[in-house]
Amino acid sequence: MATASKNKGTVIIEGEEITITNPNKLLWPEMGITKIMYLEKLLKLAPYLLEYTRNRYLTTIRYPNGYADKSFYQKNAPEPIPHFVKTAELDGINYVHLDSVPTLLWLGNLACLEFHPSFHRIGEQMPEEWLIDIDPTLDPEPRIMEAAEVVGETLDKMNIRSIPKTSGATGVQIYVPIERKYTFEQLRKIGLFVASFAVQKHPRLFTIERLKKDRGTLIYFDYLQHWYGKTLSAPYTPRARRDATVSTPLHWEEVARRCDPREFTLLTIEQRLQEQGDLIQRVPPQNLDQVLSFIQSK
């Protein structure tokens, strides 16, 4: 990527001209990542990140002066909207439809450092996948990978294959590709069943207490976040954390060795993807009929 001046320039991506402002502004100062470096990293992430933002309603978090400064959530598409940016309306909000590299770089130039898509497709109400959010109360939480492993093993015993992914912040999310025939209500029932089992078996590790002030040091098993209109961090989204971490799918072997989520950053993710590709795509859509039948018979 080349810039025309110190403060402003343009790039041509997929035939679209995108203005880049303040290309040398540091977005992650400790990591030495400037805006132009960030846009270069987004280009590398695009084939993977767009897989999980395409056909979704997108919420972004913008950090105009870098990750450590003031931020704000952006649901409504920011004006002016370039001609190549698609939008989708839901409940009176005009969301960006992040379906192309030019749109991604346009958002990157606006210092959108995080991308949080809906769990359902544009114009639809059925969930596209199922996620469990393992959310620590402590930061850092040395037991977070232990907690993720417990949940993964529990799902495995139910014949549900899953993929763990770092949230990119403090937590881990358990990602389950599903056959597209289940409702949010059905998935929440399974989530409550698994959460109740985890709390019963590991009362010193898990809680389903929603209020952070009432959790003590326990890890929150959040089965409620997966719902129509809600969001979680997309696979491969950067996060506004000191280490420029990226939400990264993991091997269960990495969870077993208690890997550190801070290992997976904008500076390391490219090589990992070149070597391993998208781990989520290795897991086929799961059939949950038997599990639902069992729960409903209780």
Side-chain angles (χ1 to χ4, degrees):
M1 283 185 167
T3 57
S5 70
K6 185 177 179 180
N7 296 316
K8 192 173 183 180
T10 59
V11 294
I12 305 295
I13 299 292
E14 296 181 358
E16 303 295 350
E17 184 175 292
I18 301 164
T19 299
I20 309 300
T21 55
N22 300 310
N24 298 315
K25 177 182 284 188
L26 282 165
L27 297 181
W28 284 271
E30 294 88 348
M31 304 299 286
I33 299 176
T34 62
K35 183 189 283 188
I36 197 68
M37 289 175 62
Y38 175 51
L39 297 182
E40 290 168 349
K41 298 300 181 185
L42 286 181
L43 267 179
K44 302 297 184 181
L45 284 171
Y48 304 93
L49 175 60
L50 293 179
E51 185 70 26
Y52 301 96
T53 61
R54 191 176 286 113
N55 298 319
R56 312 284 186 115
Y57 301 95
L58 181 75
T59 298
T60 64
I61 310 180
R62 291 175 61 181
Y63 293 78
N65 295 305
Y67 86 91
D69 211 306
K70 293 179 180 179
S71 66
F72 59 95
Y73 280 80
Q74 181 106 53
K75 289 181 178 286
N76 268 304
E79 301 283 352
I81 303 172
H83 73 92
F84 55 82
V85 174
K86 298 176 184 175
T87 61
E89 193 273 336
L90 178 67
D91 297 335
I93 296 173
N94 193 36
Y95 290 89
V96 171
H97 176 192
L98 177 47
D99 67 339
S100 71
V101 177
T103 299
L104 178 61
L105 295 191
W106 172 68
L107 290 170
N109 180 63
L110 295 175
C112 297
L113 303 190
E114 301 191 9
F115 303 93
H116 299 249
S118 62
F119 296 116
H120 52 94
R121 292 183 181 182
I122 292 170
E124 299 186 12
Q125 296 189 335
M126 300 286 276
E128 184 73 7
E129 66 279 299
W130 177 36
L131 277 96
I132 296 169
D133 192 21
I134 310 299
D135 188 15
T137 305
L138 302 176
D139 181 13
E141 171 53 87
R143 304 169 297 170
I144 190 63
M145 291 298 166
E146 176 190 354
E149 188 173 39
V150 167
V151 177
E153 289 176 347
T154 303
L155 293 175
D156 195 54
K157 289 174 181 176
M158 299 166 66
N159 292 317
I160 299 174
R161 290 182 62 191
S162 62
I163 289 286
K165 80 174 181 76
T166 65
S167 70
T170 58
V172 173
Q173 292 146 9
I174 311 301
Y175 192 108
V176 183
I178 57 172
E179 295 181 0
R180 295 190 67 248
K181 61 179 182 177
Y182 302 108
T183 65
F184 282 102
E185 290 85 356
Q186 289 174 315
L187 296 178
R188 182 168 283 188
K189 285 180 182 177
I190 303 175
L192 174 59
F193 179 81
V194 178
S196 301
F197 178 82
V199 170
Q200 180 183 358
K201 289 290 185 180
H202 303 273
R204 296 183 179 180
L205 189 60
F206 290 107
T207 182
I208 55 174
E209 172 57 56
R210 296 196 71 182
L211 295 178
K212 196 167 187 176
K213 67 181 181 65
D214 295 331
R215 295 181 202 162
T217 62
L218 297 175
I219 294 171
Y220 179 39
F221 189 120
D222 189 353
Y223 65 93
L224 295 171
Q225 183 64 22
H226 188 267
W227 197 250
Y228 182 83
K230 293 180 179 289
T231 67
L232 276 176
S233 55
Y236 309 110
T237 180
R239 297 301 299 269
R241 307 286 290 190
R242 182 188 184 282
D243 297 297
T245 43
V246 173
S247 180
T248 305
L250 305 173
H251 295 281
W252 281 112
E253 293 82 1
E254 292 175 305
V255 172
R257 72 167 172 81
R258 306 296 186 251
C259 66
D260 187 335
R262 292 172 295 186
E263 296 175 31
F264 311 101
T265 74
L266 282 171
L267 302 181
T268 64
I269 190 67
E270 183 180 349
Q271 182 176 350
R272 179 180 176 89
L273 289 172
Q274 287 175 349
E275 295 172 352
Q276 304 188 35
D278 183 1
L279 300 183
I280 293 175
Q281 298 302 316
R282 299 185 186 184
V283 179
Q286 300 294 290
N287 184 297
L288 306 176
D289 290 354
Q290 196 168 12
V291 173
L292 277 169
S293 179
F294 174 79
I295 292 172
Q296 290 165 355
S297 68
K298 286 291 189 179

